[in-house]
Amino acid sequence: MSIFDNIDYTRIPTHTAIIMDGNGRWATNKGLERGEGHREGIRAITRVVEAASKISIKYLTLYAFSTENWKRPIEEVNGLMDLMVYAISQETENLKKNGVKINCIGDMNRLPEYASNALKECIYQTREGEKLTLIIALSYSSKWELTDATRKIANDVTKGDLKIDDISEETISMYLTTRSIPDPDLLIRTGGEQRISNFMLWQCAYAEFYFTDVYWPEFRENDLFDAVIEFQRRERRFGKISE
Ligand code: IPE
Ligand code: IPE
Ligand code: MG
């Protein structure tokens, strides 16, 4: 019996999000430069996108670079940008072929121009993908997103396009970068830390959290399936009581 048989295909988490952590420690433990960990991390992304597709996850968000990550040494930041641009350009055709549509959330204004251009091109090329939407959270943080949304709401109120009394939870959701994306059902964090690190604070209100010690470069198909199986064991009550 394979792990596949343990998955309930009627209860796949529609939106799975992953905080991909542990690249640096994986490399350091092996006596390698941190950059090697990021390189290996790209391979893990390819594996996990395929695995998510296999079990028909519809939305997969990968937290790739946080607003706070801009504070890392410039060499690491530049190395990461180069790697991401390279990976995106290399993978575009493959993603297109496999029906994967790329979306990006985060403060794109902070990205170097060559990186945002590469991303825009990939988003355009893959726009018709219908099997899986792959959302890359890049230069993203939830506090940045909520601040930005608040500014836009205030602006629309000032202009008279929005009434204060009409502001509901749905309105706020509509002003976030995730406006057309359902909230995550399952949030996985690799690398052993048990924290949210400024990721989708609003959207994860009812997400199921799954923490694993596996460093991101070592994360494989079966690790994703284990998380999904654990998710399926949970009872999601949304504040109500068991039936
Ligand atoms: C995650 O791995 C990748 C990014 C945050 C860009 P880290 O680089 O945070 O790896 P650790 O946590 O230092 O091991
Ligand atoms: C979270 O990892 C951000 C990403 C995975 C992109 P970090 O390594 O930046 O988080 P902290 O600093 O350990 O909280
Ligand atoms: Mg980390």
Side-chain angles (χ1 to χ4, degrees):
M1 198 161 120
S2 89
I3 193 165
F4 260 125
D5 303 311
N6 294 327
I7 296 175
D8 176 352
Y9 291 90
T10 64
R11 286 173 53 228
I12 295 292
T14 305
H15 183 177
T16 297
I18 310 182
I19 301 177
M20 309 182 289
D21 196 25
N23 292 354
R25 280 164 290 157
W26 177 84
T28 308
N29 286 349
K30 289 189 155 1
L32 303 169
E33 299 283 327
R34 289 178 58 85
E36 287 302 317
H38 296 316
R39 213 179 308 280
E40 203 55 39
I42 298 282
R43 297 202 182 95
I45 293 180
T46 311
R47 286 197 296 271
V48 167
V49 171
E50 279 171 21
S53 256
K54 244 189 215 176
I55 59 169
S56 301
I57 287 175
K58 295 303 290 177
Y59 298 87
L60 177 67
T61 297
L62 300 176
Y63 197 13
F65 193 87
S66 73
T67 304
E68 288 74 24
N69 290 150
W70 287 114
K71 295 179 198 147
R72 291 190 179 194
I74 184 77
E75 304 76 41
E76 181 164 343
V77 171
N78 288 343
L80 264 164
M81 288 300 146
D82 288 349
L83 250 178
M84 282 186 276
V85 169
Y86 177 75
I88 283 166
S89 322
Q90 285 283 303
E91 285 294 317
T92 301
E93 269 314 304
N94 220 7
L95 294 168
K96 209 168 151 179
K97 199 175 80 209
N98 294 324
V100 180
K101 177 189 191 157
I102 295 283
N103 191 344
C104 205
I105 57 170
D107 187 358
M108 295 303 129
N109 293 329
R110 290 186 73 173
L111 292 183
E113 207 178 324
Y114 77 100
S116 60
N117 285 345
L119 261 173
K120 278 183 206 148
E121 181 60 21
C122 185
I123 291 168
Y124 179 74
Q125 291 293 337
T126 60
R127 68 195 180 284
E128 281 167 6
E130 284 187 348
K131 180 143 178 58
L132 169 71
T133 301
L134 175 60
I135 302 132
I136 314 280
L138 196 57
S139 185
Y140 173 88
S141 83
S142 195
K143 287 192 176 181
W144 161 78
E145 177 183 48
L146 287 162
T147 308
D148 187 58
T150 307
R151 228 178 260 133
K152 287 177 178 148
I153 289 172
N155 195 37
D156 284 352
V157 169
T158 310
K159 281 194 301 181
D161 292 345
L162 181 65
K163 291 198 191 79
I164 288 180
D165 287 344
D166 288 343
I167 299 174
S168 63
E169 290 185 7
E170 287 69 31
T171 315
I172 294 172
S173 292
M174 289 302 291
Y175 280 80
L176 299 178
T177 58
T178 47
R179 69 189 66 81
S180 54
I181 303 163
D183 285 347
D185 302 289
L186 169 62
L187 173 65
I188 300 170
R189 181 170 185 144
T190 65
E193 311 293 359
Q194 305 200 351
R195 55 176 170 254
I196 198 160
S197 300
N198 216 345
F199 181 73
M200 291 199 187
L201 303 174
W202 173 275
Q203 298 89 334
C204 283
Y206 270 102
E208 294 296 330
F209 287 24
Y210 179 88
F211 298 106
T212 168
D213 289 339
V214 174
Y215 290 136
W216 178 250
E218 289 182 333
F219 197 82
R220 301 204 137 59
E221 176 177 276
N222 275 9
D223 297 304
L224 178 72
F225 296 166
D226 280 343
V228 168
I229 290 165
E230 167 60 25
F231 166 83
Q232 295 180 338
R233 284 196 198 109
R234 310 254 179 105
E235 185 193 18
R236 303 184 79 192
R237 288 188 288 279
F238 299 99
K240 301 175 201 160
I241 58 169
S242 298
E243 239 83 43

